[in-house]
Amino acid sequence: MSKFRFSVGPWNVHSGADSYGPAVRAEIPAVEKYKKFAELGFSAVQFHDDDVVPDINNYSTDEIKAKAREVKSQLDQFGLKAEFVAPRLWMDEHTIDGGFMSTSQEDREYAMWRAYRSIDIARELGCDLIVLWLAREGTVCAESKSPVWATKMLIESINKMLEYDKSIRICIEPKPNEPIDRSICGTMGHVMAISAATIDPSRVGGNLESAHAVLAGLDPAHEIGFALAMGKLMTVHLNDQNSIRYDQDKSFGVENLRAAFNQVKVLKENGYGDHGEYVGLDVKAMRTTKDQDSYKHLENSLRIFKALEDKVDRFDYEFQKKCVESRDFEGLEMYVMDLLMGIV
Ligand code: XLS
Ligand code: MG
């Protein structure tokens, strides 16, 4: 029985369209996804603002809040909570050059409008967490904007959100690139620095995505550990990645099993979840996956996570201590491999 509670976003179940080809599976209605998420054992749903209110630009603040309440009643029907709301600042014509650090003041103001509406939606859904995946916050032409100015604009934007709602929490999900060429806030270290520079660092933290750490050439468990050491790991997006290719959002643990083991280990050893944090997935099915298998990557990710939890529970900390005292790291490493291969 896992000690953790799990969350997932509706975009994890998708039609399979990508930049190089059309959809390969039928679209599944959101409510049907919520029902299935509950059946699979998820406790919460992650949302973009326009997952809750499609065509959000067309509605007033009151209409947006009313539509959010409709989604809340759907979640209640399945005993699900909302984990967070993320403004989707990468699809709109107003965010072509980013949002918070766009070179257009009108577009920066639009990004703040979406950020404030995300807060309104979160409140109607009964959650206090906003995730900022800074997809287009950076440069496609290095000389188009100053990295000093852009960084300050991000801090200023977060401060405005913290002032708009006196108890909302802001969680940055760092990624070093894609779709942006050069990200302004690419790792958990950048997130911690941004947090410290805001008007209320206690309300600004990080969401570590396994694949994003790999794309930055970093170890996901160490990125998680860095945020935990600062007391600022607000959620995680567990998945996997085959080296520094495009963002693959593979099922958790399927490429780098030992790295996945150490992500579970650092979470478990440091009381993650004890204050309500969820283990979030951010995974996508293979393009070859058929309609009837639309949720298999979620089931696989949960199964691998829970199997690794058992491995962590069985980890021999006495043996580890002996190996460290005698600096027998070869012996310790082989023990870990035997544990993962099921030999011990
Ligand atoms: C990218 C992001 C994205 C969601 C917000 O990895 O997680 O999938 O939009 O979290
Ligand atoms: Mg993610």
Side-chain angles (χ1 to χ4, degrees):
M1 178 65 183
S2 175
K3 69 152 276 191
F4 297 103
R5 295 183 305 160
F6 298 90
S7 74
V8 65
W11 63 88
N12 284 233
V13 179
H14 56 99
S15 62
D18 63 21
S19 314
Y20 305 98
V24 292
R25 291 180 296 275
E27 285 294 344
I28 299 175
V31 180
E32 205 178 298
K33 291 181 185 179
Y34 305 155
K35 181 172 183 291
K36 184 70 175 178
F37 290 164
E39 289 167 1
L40 290 175
F42 289 97
S43 303
V45 180
Q46 309 161 21
F47 290 101
H48 297 112
D49 51 356
D50 57 8
D51 288 326
V52 181
V53 185
D55 304 319
I56 191 168
N57 291 352
N58 301 341
Y59 299 104
S60 69
T61 299
D62 286 344
E63 288 167 329
I64 288 168
K65 289 180 179 178
K67 287 177 178 294
R69 287 192 290 273
E70 290 168 19
V71 172
K72 175 70 165 64
S73 62
Q74 291 169 350
L75 295 179
D76 292 345
Q77 188 185 332
F78 304 117
L80 292 166
K81 298 290 184 194
E83 182 192 9
F84 67 68
V85 177
R88 200 195 308 252
L89 295 177
W90 52 90
M91 303 283 269
D92 194 276
E93 62 180 344
H94 287 288
T95 56
I96 288 172
D97 181 30
F100 304 127
M101 51 186 82
S102 169
T103 48
S104 149
Q105 181 174 344
E106 183 193 351
D107 290 352
R108 292 198 299 274
E109 287 165 3
Y110 172 78
M112 288 316 304
W113 182 83
R114 288 288 291 261
Y116 296 143
R117 298 299 75 75
S118 293
I119 293 172
D120 294 336
I121 291 168
R123 289 305 186 190
E124 297 301 334
L125 294 179
C127 77
D128 72 344
L129 186 61
I130 299 297
V131 162
L132 302 180
W133 171 46
L134 303 170
R136 298 195 193 280
E137 306 297 352
T139 62
V140 291
C141 169
E143 297 75 12
S144 65
K145 61 187 85 170
S146 150
V148 174
W149 172 84
T151 302
K152 289 180 177 176
M153 293 311 288
L154 175 58
I155 295 164
E156 188 179 303
S157 302
I158 293 174
N159 285 341
K160 287 177 182 170
M161 297 168 81
L162 295 170
E163 284 166 342
Y164 179 78
D165 182 310
K166 300 302 183 192
S167 60
I168 203 76
R169 296 181 299 137
I170 309 297
C171 180
I172 300 172
E173 177 180 341
K175 184 177 179 184
N177 65 313
E178 193 195 30
I180 197 65
D181 177 30
R182 292 174 172 83
S183 167
I184 286 292
C185 184
T187 71
M188 193 54 81
H190 290 86
V191 171
M192 297 297 107
I194 293 284
S195 170
T198 63
I199 57 174
D200 187 353
S202 71
R203 289 196 283 143
V204 182
N207 170 17
L208 189 278
E209 174 155 329
S210 315
H212 297 179
V214 173
L215 289 172
L218 298 173
D219 177 84
H222 282 206
E223 288 287 275
I224 287 172
F226 191 75
L228 284 170
M230 310 288 175
K232 292 179 184 282
L233 187 68
M234 295 181 168
T235 191
V236 291
H237 264 181
L238 298 186
N239 54 23
D240 213 344
Q241 176 72 26
N242 177 12
S243 183
I244 50 174
R245 290 170 171 70
Y246 59 94
D247 190 353
Q248 296 174 313
D249 289 338
K250 288 190 169 198
S251 295
F252 178 63
V254 296
E255 281 293 339
N256 310 289
L257 186 61
R258 187 174 175 193
F261 166 75
N262 280 300
Q263 289 170 71
V264 178
K265 187 167 178 285
V266 71
L267 290 172
K268 196 143 185 150
E269 285 174 349
N270 294 281
Y272 180 82
D274 292 353
H275 305 289
E277 306 91 339
Y278 291 96
V279 171
L281 298 182
D282 192 6
V283 290
K284 295 208 174 38
M286 299 173 196
R287 180 167 170 79
T288 46
T289 297
K290 295 178 180 173
D291 289 77
Q292 63 263 34
D293 297 328
S294 288
Y295 296 88
K296 205 166 249 187
H297 59 304
L298 298 181
E299 294 170 281
N300 292 352
S301 296
L302 288 177
R303 193 170 138 208
I304 292 168
F305 183 95
K306 291 171 182 176
L308 290 176
E309 248 195 291
D310 291 340
K311 299 287 185 187
V312 172
D313 290 343
R314 290 178 46 232
F315 185 77
D316 185 341
Y317 286 92
E318 275 312 304
F319 180 74
Q320 178 210 28
K321 188 165 174 280
K322 280 197 203 104
C323 289
V324 169
E325 283 164 357
S326 58
R327 212 173 69 197
D328 178 11
F329 295 168
E330 303 287 354
L332 176 56
E333 181 168 70
M334 196 60 234
Y335 164 70
V336 171
M337 299 315 293
D338 283 343
L339 181 67
L340 293 177
M341 292 187 290
I343 294 169
V344 294

